[in-house]
């Protein structure tokens, strides 16, 4: 009902529309309209009223509410279904439960705050209320399980494209971070449920630091993290519009992959990356092995190819961390 009321208010532009007319259109009482208007105001919508003219929507909140995300969103699959909560432990945890219960391809889970957000290698991800975009998307792709790791690269390219659309410089660090001046802006965690010959579902969790001030980061990450607001010269970035840009880029890339494979995604990743042609240090997570070399390229599977003193190494996302050599 609130969605329909917002549609009517938006269709009136800067004008007013009476509660009686809205009640007539929607087949409810004027009291019901008033109650929904009150709830919309409680959610941050600036709706003014005039005793003779009715109601007018002056401003919508920059909150990641389903009604705001859907308004003007141009996607075919991603964001078709939206599960929203004010606070979650982890959007990935909820998305995995929804996926196991049969949630549709392209369903997103979004929260204003995460209390237990995590990234790759179980690292905590700072996810304060109202300051970022913390979400997960459920995909049910037609390709084979061995292709799944490239979905992390796909997600990174989608965020980079959204940043480019907003005039913000984007740099992808292999395999799953976006950085600005060597500080982390975005983290991505991809998880999968699969059988030998098919994917049941993939859940991609994406955390984007949007309007977090430098002093708001915890002391332990203050020197290594940043936000889109900082990249934007201190000017806040509209979260809903940026989120829509990310979802639209994800949707387009996902459709492209389904019909043409990952070649174009990998080419776009190479365009945005800051890892290739850099000297890097590879640290083995399982065996502790360390070596340095030049990040030469990624292969068709998305693995990083590093030229070290003893030859070329093929580095898999789940096995190592990549750090600039000091």
């Amino acid at each position: 009902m609130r969605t329909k009321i917002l549609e009517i208010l938006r269709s009136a532009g800067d004008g007013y529309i009476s509660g009686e007319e809205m009640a007539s259109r929607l087949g409810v009482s004027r009291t019901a309209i008033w109650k929904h208007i009150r709830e919309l105001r409680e959610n941050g919508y600036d709706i003014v009223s005039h005793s003779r003219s009715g109601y007018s929507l002056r401003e919508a909140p920059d909150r990641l509410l389903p009604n705001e995300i859907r308004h003007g969103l141009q996607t075919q699959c991603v964001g078709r279904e939206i599960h929203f909560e004010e606070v979650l432990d982890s959007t990935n945890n909820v998305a995995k439960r929804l996926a196991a219960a049969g949630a549709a391809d392209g369903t997103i889970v979004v929260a204003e705050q995460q209390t237990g957000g995590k990234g790759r290698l179980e690292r905590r991800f700072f996810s304060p209320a109202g300051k970022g975009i913390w979400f997960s998307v459920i995909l049910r792709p037609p390709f084979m399980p061995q292709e799944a790791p490239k979905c992390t690269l796909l997600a990174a390219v989608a965020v980079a494209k959204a940043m480019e659309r907003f005039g913000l410089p984007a740099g992808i660090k292999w395999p799953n971070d976006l950085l600005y001046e060597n500080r982390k802006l975005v983290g991505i965690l991809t998880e999968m449920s699969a059988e030998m010959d098919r994917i049941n579902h993939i859940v991609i969790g994406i955390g984007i630091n949007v309007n977090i001030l430098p002093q708001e980061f915890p002391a332990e990450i203050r020197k290594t993290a940043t936000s889109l607001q900082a990249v934007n010269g201190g000017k806040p970035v509209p979260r809903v519009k940026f989120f829509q840009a990310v979802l639209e880029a994800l949707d387009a890339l996902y459709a492209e992959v389904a019909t043409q494979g990952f070649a174009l995604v990998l080419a776009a990743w190479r365009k945005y990356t800051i890892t290739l042609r850099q000297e890097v240090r590879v640290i083995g997570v399982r065996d502790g092995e360390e070596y340095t070399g030049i990040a030469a390229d990624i292969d068709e599977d998305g693995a990083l190819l590093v030229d070290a003193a003893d030859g070329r190494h093929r580095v898999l996302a789940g096995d190592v961390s990549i750090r600039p050599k000091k």
Side-chain angles (χ1 to χ4, degrees), residues 64-259:
L64 304 179
L65 302 169
N67 286 327
E68 292 309 299
I69 296 168
R70 291 190 184 100
H71 179 62
L73 182 66
Q74 301 295 315
T75 62
Q76 296 299 313
C77 175
V78 176
R80 213 168 29 176
E81 299 289 337
I82 301 172
H83 183 94
F84 168 82
E85 296 288 345
E86 285 287 345
V87 182
L88 289 175
D89 62 341
S90 162
T91 60
N92 259 34
N93 289 345
V94 174
K96 286 186 288 185
R97 291 196 293 269
L98 291 174
D105 190 26
T107 296
I108 62 171
V109 178
V110 59
E112 284 286 352
Q113 179 182 4
Q114 286 187 124
T115 57
K118 63 180 181 179
R120 187 166 164 265
L121 307 180
E122 298 295 318
R123 297 188 180 105
R124 285 286 305 274
F125 198 95
F126 178 57
S127 313
K131 296 286 186 175
I133 298 172
W134 329 118
F135 81 105
S136 299
V137 58
I138 298 167
L139 301 180
R140 299 186 183 278
F143 47 76
M144 297 293 285
Q146 55 266 34
E147 301 270 54
K150 286 181 277 190
C151 286
T152 299
L153 307 184
L154 181 154
V157 169
V159 179
K161 284 181 175 291
M163 290 181 64
E164 190 172 61
R165 185 164 153 185
F166 275 71
L168 304 174
I172 303 173
K173 176 189 172 187
W174 187 90
N176 65 334
D177 292 339
L178 274 81
L179 308 183
Y180 178 72
E181 294 183 345
N182 293 319
R183 296 189 175 197
K184 186 170 179 175
L185 282 166
V186 180
I188 300 168
L189 176 64
T190 301
E191 300 181 274
M192 176 177 67
S193 168
E195 299 171 26
M196 287 292 293
D197 59 348
R198 73 182 184 95
I199 294 171
N200 297 321
H201 62 259
I202 291 173
V203 171
I204 307 174
I206 303 177
I208 306 172
N209 299 333
V210 182
N211 294 324
I212 307 176
L213 298 174
Q215 64 270 23
E216 293 175 327
F217 285 103
E220 62 270 21
I221 63 170
R222 202 165 290 161
K223 294 182 178 180
T224 58
T226 190
S227 69
L228 296 181
Q229 182 174 357
V231 179
N232 200 35
K235 183 180 179 181
V237 172
R239 290 191 303 147
V240 172
K241 290 187 181 299
F242 189 83
F243 190 26
Q244 289 175 326
V246 172
L247 295 179
E248 288 169 4
L250 270 173
D251 188 73
L253 290 168
Y254 185 44
E256 181 180 272
V257 163
T259 59

Side-chain angles (χ1 to χ4, degrees), residues 256-278:
E256 181 180 272
V257 163
T259 59
Q260 302 179 53
F262 279 91
L264 294 176
V265 168
L266 298 181
W269 186 92
R270 292 183 180 98
K271 169 188 170 183
Y272 292 113
T273 187
I274 57 173
T275 299
L276 299 186
R277 297 172 295 281
Q278 300 296 315

Side-chain angles (χ1 to χ4, degrees), residues 1-13 15-19 21-27 33 55-57:
M1 180 63 69
R2 287 194 292 274
T3 299
K4 293 179 179 178
I5 290 173
L6 284 172
E7 289 174 355
I8 293 173
L9 289 170
R10 285 188 167 115
S11 70
Y16 286 81
I17 187 164
S18 70
E21 182 175 347
M22 282 194 282
S24 175
R25 287 195 199 179
L26 299 175
I33 295 294
Y55 300 99
S56 179
L57 176 63

